[in-house]
Amino acid sequence: VQLVESGGGLVQPGGSLRLSCAASGLTASNTYMAWFRQAPGKEREGVAHIYTNSGSTVYADSVKGRFTISRDNANNVVYLQMNSLKPEDTASYYCAARRPNSDAIWYQTTWYDSWGQGTQVTVS
């Protein structure tokens, strides 16, 4: 499995960015994928999660109403649309994929088998 993120950059507060995660080596139309982020000196935290089969999503409270996770199963890509960005959104953003597991807690990193290399988002 290979996950490759893109779309990060520098943006002013209130601005928008769209991150992309290109997936290969997995059945993109039937997997669980998420975006995490990690700021310097902080733990990696779950931002948003999607079940690519149904499109069902869940978000961290800190981004609810501002970020949207979506998927393009035909092209094996998962997106994170980020609007109304704040300085506290500054972090490296990572795409992750996991296998189905009824015990999984989506925002816990240990459940994920595959990770991308990350893309930097700076809001300043």
Side-chain angles (χ1 to χ4, degrees), residues 3-26:
L3 304 175
V4 180
E5 303 98 332
S6 61
L10 173 64
V11 63
Q12 293 183 342
S16 298
L17 280 176
R18 188 177 79 159
L19 305 183
S20 300
C21 173
S24 59
L26 50 75

Side-chain angles (χ1 to χ4, degrees), residues 18-21 28 33-35 48-52 55-59 67-73 76-81 95:
R18 188 177 79 159
L19 305 183
S20 300
C21 173
M33 298 188 70
W35 286 95
H49 177 274
I50 188 167
Y51 176 39
T52 60
S56 175
T57 60
V58 63
Y59 298 91
F67 290 12
T68 302
I69 188 171
S70 63
R71 87 292 193 201
D72 176 353
N73 289 342
N76 290 356
V77 181
V78 172
Y79 300 101
L80 185 68
Q81 178 67 43
C95 177

Side-chain angles (χ1 to χ4, degrees), residues 5 15 34-35 37 41 44 50 60 63 65 68 90 92 95 106 113 123:
E5 303 98 332
W35 286 95
R37 67 185 180 186
R44 193 168 295 190
I50 188 167
V63 306
T68 302
T90 295
S92 292
C95 177
W106 75 268
D113 307 300
V123 185

Side-chain angles (χ1 to χ4, degrees), residues 24-122:
S24 59
L26 50 75
T27 305
S29 61
N30 189 30
T31 193
Y32 296 83
M33 298 188 70
W35 286 95
F36 285 76
R37 67 185 180 186
Q38 188 168 20
K42 294 189 176 181
E43 293 187 354
R44 193 168 295 190
E45 64 172 351
V47 173
H49 177 274
I50 188 167
Y51 176 39
T52 60
N53 187 316
S54 66
S56 175
T57 60
V58 63
Y59 298 91
D61 287 344
S62 59
V63 306
K64 204 172 293 183
R66 299 188 298 123
F67 290 12
T68 302
I69 188 171
S70 63
R71 87 292 193 201
D72 176 353
N73 289 342
N75 293 297
N76 290 356
V77 181
V78 172
Y79 300 101
L80 185 68
Q81 178 67 43
M82 305 185 294
N83 298 329
S84 302
L85 282 162
K86 305 175 181 180
E88 51 263 44
D89 294 318
T90 295
S92 292
Y93 282 71
Y94 299 88
C95 177
R98 66 173 179 88
R99 300 168 188 170
N101 189 319
S102 59
D103 294 328
I105 298 173
W106 75 268
Y107 52 83
Q108 292 185 343
T109 59
T110 53
W111 295 102
Y112 292 83
D113 307 300
S114 303
W115 293 86
Q117 82 289 349
T119 186
Q120 178 66 35
V121 172
T122 302

